[in-house]
Amino acid sequence: MTQPPLPHSQLATALAGLLVTPLLAASSGGAPLDRVPRPGPWRAWLESPGGEIPFELEFALDATSWRATIGNGRERIEVPEMSVDAELAAVTLALPHYDSRIEAQLSEGATRLDGLWKKRRNANEWVEMKFHATAGAAKRFRDDVLHEPTNKVDPTPLARELAGMAEVASGRFAIQFASDADPAVGLFEVTDDGRATGTFLTTAGDYRYLAGSLDRGWPGDDGLVGCEDDGEPHYFLRLSCFDGAHAFLFTAELDANGAIGGSFWAADRWHETWTGRRDDSATLPDGFALSRASGAVPLDELTFLDLDGKARRLTDPAFAGKVRLLQVFGSWCPNCHDACDELVRLQREYGGRGLSIVGLAFELTGEVAHDAEQVRRYAKRHGATWPMLLAGTSDKQAATASLGLLDRVRAYPTTLFLDAKGAIRAVFTGFNGPATGAAHDAQRDEFSRVLENLLREQ
């Protein structure tokens, strides 16, 4: 009996497997194929005290070169360095610009990875979290933590009910984190089938790209919905991010009136609660009104080391311009990486008209050689060509004292706008990255407006 033809999707998968197998064999040096990872999508996660922090991971093989991509909703991050040791069935994913790496072992026929994520926290400490991944496309958050009803209530999901709650969850929320006196704003987008993306805007910067789902669950003692068993389903939002530096997990219950509240876990130790409500007019304080020039130290008295270890004054003629930007940043900070892309744009647009940029790096270790190398990686990653100086360590209180120009260093990054005489004319605290959409666009316009005004004065 003749076999029926394969559906197009199955045929494509089969052909892909035929094409990939020789490449896998070549890359493994003749080792069994179950000792190298399967190309394609994987579901990955880190173990945190608050539960799994999931993210998307994809492996690809070009000739004998492996590549890996991390995914958070719309964000795709190319892992700079991936190595596969077929003899040891080991995989290493390195993100050196964050001093971060994953080392894992393959098992279960090359369909599972287990290992450890490590990222430098400071000179003497590292973040360490257990890492896992399984081959194949899968939902970002698992459903096995959702409770079944304990009575006769029909648990069948109703599409229109989920779509209605998705509409409630989609939009702008006024948010308050327990540890922060300043307000925050939540921006969420949820499709009718519950897929969710979003971010949080804060006065120190945004939480970048978050992805997850809006799900229905019933009350229980050991799951995400821990309220009293009233026999009715409850809805909760789960969002996560992993980008090599950040490891975030947000879980919250949402009601039909737009009230929301839950937990926030960051990496291996930070936890706090947060609450909010749907509010289409929710805003943050003006980023230009949060920090101010202190005048405590004149610009010509400030000297920092360049990346070759040479002392340089901020009044060095090499840093002069009709208008100057000083960026307070850290190479370890993902928001600073987003801001660097914006400064590259500003340099391209205004450099010929007299804009000069200097980066003031506040790094993790205080070891000149190590910190200088991290800053070089930061600059290379974004194509930044302006001078960058080592200004101190990342502790904000120490940074305030080291910088001497502001009443307080509140956030990385912070951008100072100076005129040709060295007078600080504006200070912007934090940065609204591309994940914030309209807020990012408005910030770009405002930066350009400030620079245009300063340039017109000259």
Side-chain angles (χ1 to χ4, degrees):
M1 180 176 177
T2 303
Q3 290 287 345
L6 287 171
H8 289 301
S9 60
Q10 294 183 28
L11 180 60
T13 301
L15 290 174
L18 291 173
L19 292 171
V20 166
T21 298
L23 295 175
L24 287 171
S27 72
S28 63
L33 301 185
D34 63 359
R35 301 185 71 79
V36 295
R38 292 189 179 183
W42 288 58
R43 179 184 180 271
W45 68 96
L46 301 172
E47 290 184 23
S48 87
E52 293 182 356
I53 301 180
F55 58 98
E56 301 159 41
L57 186 60
E58 185 162 353
F59 296 134
L61 183 62
D62 295 330
T64 58
S65 176
W66 285 95
R67 292 183 294 107
T69 304
I70 292 169
N72 299 292
R74 294 187 297 273
E75 180 182 47
R76 290 294 178 269
I77 302 169
E78 295 290 334
V79 176
E81 299 173 10
M82 176 179 177
S83 62
V84 176
D85 187 325
E87 183 177 350
L88 298 177
V91 174
T92 300
L93 307 176
L95 297 99
H97 53 285
Y98 289 139
D99 221 346
S100 168
R101 64 195 294 113
I102 291 171
E103 296 180 346
Q105 292 290 130
L106 280 161
S107 63
E108 299 180 14
T111 64
R112 183 177 174 97
L113 282 165
D114 298 282
L116 193 69
W117 171 55
K118 291 183 63 176
K119 180 192 178 299
R120 184 179 293 277
R121 191 190 305 276
N122 54 44
N124 302 310
E125 292 184 299
W126 293 78
V127 176
E128 294 190 0
M129 300 178 71
K130 291 182 179 179
F131 161 84
H132 310 280
T134 53
K139 187 178 178 182
R140 192 176 181 97
F141 283 92
R142 293 170 23 226
D143 286 336
D144 58 2
V145 296
L146 308 180
H147 290 275
E148 293 297 323
T150 56
N151 55 24
K152 302 291 185 179
V153 175
D154 183 3
T156 304
L158 299 175
R160 62 179 180 274
E161 180 184 324
L162 180 58
M165 289 301 293
E167 186 174 351
V168 173
S170 296
R172 200 173 188 90
F173 285 73
I175 302 294
Q176 190 66 56
F177 287 96
S179 68
D180 196 345
D182 292 334
V185 175
L187 301 177
F188 310 130
E189 297 179 13
V190 184
T191 62
D192 286 351
D193 62 357
R195 288 172 295 164
T197 57
T199 193
F200 293 86
L201 288 75
T202 77
T203 55
D206 66 280
Y207 281 83
R208 305 193 75 255
Y209 292 91
L210 305 173
S213 56
L214 178 70
D215 295 293
R216 177 192 290 106
W218 276 261
D221 295 330
D222 60 341
L224 292 172
V225 181
C227 53
E228 182 180 352
D229 189 352
D230 56 7
E232 296 295 329
H234 295 248
Y235 285 85
F236 52 91
L237 186 65
R238 293 182 286 180
L239 295 167
S240 64
C241 167
F242 175 73
D243 55 18
H246 289 153
F248 293 155
L249 172 65
F250 295 87
T251 62
E253 186 175 355
L254 174 73
D255 71 20
N257 296 316
I260 193 169
S263 287
F264 165 45
W265 294 86
D268 57 345
R269 60 181 67 179
W270 178 260
H271 172 249
E272 67 176 309
T273 58
W274 57 282
T275 57
R277 68 183 188 284
R278 178 69 182 266
D279 183 352
D280 295 338
S281 63
T283 58
L284 293 180
D286 182 1
F288 281 105
L290 296 172
S291 297
R292 67 181 186 277
S294 67
V297 180
L299 194 68
D300 59 5
E301 292 184 12
L302 287 173
T303 300
F304 302 114
L305 297 181
D306 66 16
L307 302 188
D308 295 320
K310 179 182 177 182
R312 303 286 294 273
R313 285 184 178 273
L314 284 185
T315 52
D316 189 313
F319 306 153
K322 291 182 179 180
V323 174
R324 283 181 279 181
L325 287 183
L326 299 183
Q327 188 197 36
V328 175
F329 77 100
S331 66
W332 46 269
C333 158
N335 294 96
C336 299
H337 282 259
D338 288 339
C340 193
D341 288 333
E342 174 64 5
L343 293 194
V344 168
R345 180 191 74 84
L346 293 174
Q347 184 187 50
R348 184 169 57 247
E349 184 170 349
Y350 295 104
R353 297 171 58 185
L355 173 65
S356 171
I357 302 175
V358 178
L360 302 177
F362 291 84
E363 294 297 301
L364 295 178
T365 73
E367 299 170 2
V368 172
H370 178 274
D371 291 348
E373 182 60 26
Q374 290 304 113
V375 174
R376 288 191 184 98
R377 287 171 171 157
Y378 170 89
K380 182 179 180 180
R381 186 171 185 239
H382 301 279
T385 58
W386 55 84
M388 297 185 185
L389 307 177
L390 299 177
T393 57
S394 59
D395 176 83
K396 291 178 182 177
Q397 185 173 353
T400 300
S402 174
L403 183 61
L405 296 175
L406 300 176
D407 63 325
R408 180 177 146 205
V409 173
R410 290 175 168 81
Y412 298 103
T414 295
T415 307
L416 288 69
F417 297 75
L418 283 67
D419 62 23
K421 296 179 181 179
I424 299 174
R425 303 291 295 277
V427 180
F428 191 87
T429 301
F431 189 79
N432 297 317
T436 67
H440 178 60
D441 295 340
Q443 175 186 260
R444 295 183 76 182
D445 292 344
E446 192 65 6
F447 276 25
S448 293
R449 183 192 66 78
V450 173
L451 288 176
E452 290 281 0
N453 287 342
L454 289 175
L455 286 167
R456 277 196 292 268
E457 292 179 3
Q458 308 307 316

